Amino acid sequence: MLLMLTVPACNPFAPALDEVPTDPNELLGNPVTVRGFFDRFRAAYQLRDSTLYGQLLSPKFRFTYRDFAANVDRSWTRDVDANTTYRLFRAARSTNLQWTQYLPSSDTLSSDTIATVERSFLLTIEQRDDERFSGSGTARLILVRKNRNAPWRMRSWYDRSEF
């Protein structure tokens, strides 16, 4: 009994604290690189984290998709996209985004502040009511940043999905 009183309060079932702080760039992707930007994009979808996703958008962001029924392109701004993505993440039980092909449309070495990238993807969304949506497509993104050490942000996303 005396031993228990002299030992500082601790919970033997609690895990120990990690001594080394975890770098979010290692876990989620470093958006200073184009590859890291896409890793972070995928992490935002996998975690259904609209805050993480919002950090990838430029203030002048525009999402555009093809409305095949009307045969026109439709688009919306950053605020509408952030709100739509937030609602999508809240309605989903799970989301799975896989980037499948990397088709660089411009060489990021020729410019440190703008890159045009086209990627193929597979997306599966399972809603809380067990309804599933799966689709594939390509996303043509224009990425911008202030300088070579700044993180990439999406200025535009032209979506060619098959949902």
Side-chain angles (χ1 to χ4, degrees):
M1 182 74 153
L2 182 61
L3 180 63
M4 290 183 73
L5 293 174
T6 60
V7 175
C10 68
N11 182 346
F13 302 107
L17 293 176
D18 194 357
E19 298 285 328
V20 180
T22 305
D23 181 5
N25 289 332
E26 288 181 30
L27 289 174
L28 304 172
N30 184 352
V32 171
T33 67
V34 172
R35 180 185 184 103
F37 170 88
F38 281 100
D39 290 343
R40 187 152 297 193
F41 193 126
R42 181 177 182 271
Y45 265 73
Q46 301 297 107
L47 298 170
R48 297 183 329 272
D49 187 331
S50 57
T51 302
L52 189 60
Y53 176 75
Q55 295 170 4
L56 299 173
L57 305 180
S58 155
K60 296 179 181 179
F61 175 76
R62 178 164 295 281
F63 177 85
T64 305
Y65 69 97
R66 185 72 180 173
D67 180 344
F68 292 104
N71 201 29
V72 296
D73 285 343
R74 303 215 186 266
S75 62
W76 58 66
T77 63
R78 182 188 196 286
D79 292 341
V80 173
D81 191 72
N83 188 31
T84 302
T85 303
Y86 172 80
R87 289 192 328 254
L88 167 72
F89 289 169
R90 292 304 147 249
R93 176 179 298 145
S94 68
T95 55
N96 185 16
L97 172 64
Q98 299 294 322
W99 296 109
T100 57
Q101 279 186 313
Y102 177 58
L103 310 165
S105 301
S106 71
D107 185 1
T108 57
L109 297 178
S110 66
S111 173
D112 290 336
T113 58
I114 190 166
T116 303
V117 181
E118 190 159 337
R119 299 267 335 235
S120 296
F121 65 89
L122 303 170
L123 177 63
T124 303
I125 300 166
E126 184 177 343
Q127 292 185 316
R128 297 195 187 282
D129 63 2
D130 292 332
E131 192 170 359
R132 279 179 85 98
F133 299 95
S134 293
S136 64
T138 60
R140 186 177 54 211
L141 306 178
I142 296 177
L143 305 178
V144 296
R145 61 183 176 177
K146 293 180 182 181
N147 60 55
R148 71 178 325 159
N149 298 317
W152 289 104
R153 304 277 187 246
M154 262 190 296
R155 184 172 65 199
S156 72
W157 172 356
Y158 186 85
D159 187 84
R160 287 182 267 176
S161 298
E162 298 172 17
F163 276 91

